[in-house]
Amino acid sequence: MRQKAEIMDREAMGRAITRIAHEIIEHNQGTDGVALIGIQRRGVPLAKRINDRIEQVEGKRLPLGILDITLYRDDLSTLSEHPVINGTDIAFSITGMNLVMVDDVLFTGRTARAAMDALIDMGRPKSIQFAVLVDRGHRELPIRADYVGKNVPTSSNEVIAVEVDEIDGREQVLIGEITR
């Protein structure tokens, strides 16, 4: 990727996380029966941050799970002979819960579909909601986010890169051109 521009810095990402946390509380009329599910990799630290903000407002932490959708991807056979499995860790029953899946970027909708498939294999949630830091458009499936930090219309030759301290050592969202 050839860097084009920073579209969110640390402060903008923080504001988006705060807004998403407040919207989750408002939409669910509080936090009873709500759990967060971070989608590996960058959805996990984002889900933890949302949980921190919710705790600041509501005074309690939500159950937080980590979901690896690698084996649910519809392009698994094209990824690699030995795909990297980061692990799923959901230490609570999701049955009857209002789940909020958290990811960094919504693009085609295929990751969200895979995440829903994985969750439904684990139980029967009351509802599944979806929070993303960036929605860049170009959907291939009828999927939309309930909570969006920033909408960024992109062209097909652009890519969005979310960088978080926990994984990348930096906090920013970049838009760049794909170099071929």
Side-chain angles (χ1 to χ4, degrees):
M1 173 179 88
R2 190 175 80 220
Q3 184 173 332
K4 186 174 180 184
E6 180 182 72
I7 55 175
M8 293 178 85
D9 60 11
R10 179 181 303 276
E11 290 74 26
M13 290 172 69
R15 286 189 300 274
I17 293 293
T18 298
R19 186 173 57 257
I20 289 169
H22 282 276
E23 288 175 0
I24 290 168
I25 295 165
E26 185 175 327
H27 178 83
N28 290 285
Q29 300 174 343
T31 57
D32 290 340
V34 179
L36 299 173
I37 304 291
I39 299 173
Q40 289 279 22
R41 289 197 54 211
R42 287 169 182 78
V44 174
L46 296 173
K48 289 176 180 176
R49 292 174 193 184
I50 291 169
N51 208 5
D52 291 344
R53 296 296 197 300
I54 288 173
E55 182 179 28
Q56 289 171 354
V57 174
E58 293 289 297
K60 70 175 189 176
R61 293 193 69 74
L62 300 181
L64 176 68
I66 297 170
L67 182 65
D68 185 331
I69 56 97
T70 303
L71 297 177
Y72 285 85
R73 291 178 58 119
D74 60 8
D75 62 351
L76 182 62
S77 63
T78 64
L79 287 180
S80 103
E81 195 172 312
H82 303 287
V84 176
I85 308 295
N86 291 301
T88 292
D89 181 13
I90 300 175
F92 53 90
S93 172
I94 66 168
T95 298
M97 299 288 290
N98 293 306
L99 301 180
V100 182
M101 303 184 311
V102 180
D103 205 5
D104 57 347
V105 178
L106 174 54
F107 182 32
T108 63
R110 292 183 181 278
T111 296
R113 184 218 41 93
M116 287 188 283
D117 287 349
L119 290 171
I120 288 168
D121 279 352
M122 294 177 201
R124 184 176 167 92
K126 181 177 180 182
S127 70
I128 299 177
Q129 301 162 34
F130 190 29
V132 295
L133 186 61
V134 177
D135 183 345
R136 64 167 289 191
H138 300 280
R139 223 68 84 237
E140 295 175 2
L141 300 172
I143 304 260
R144 68 166 181 79
D146 300 283
Y147 315 103
V148 178
K150 185 174 185 76
N151 286 291
V152 180
T154 60
S155 70
S156 59
N157 68 333
E158 290 177 312
V159 65
I160 300 286
V162 173
E163 296 180 337
V164 293
D165 283 334
E166 297 88 339
I167 296 170
D168 308 292
R170 294 176 300 282
E171 280 297 298
Q172 60 187 347
V173 179
L174 304 170
I175 185 168
E177 279 186 50
I178 298 172
T179 53
R180 298 181 193 209

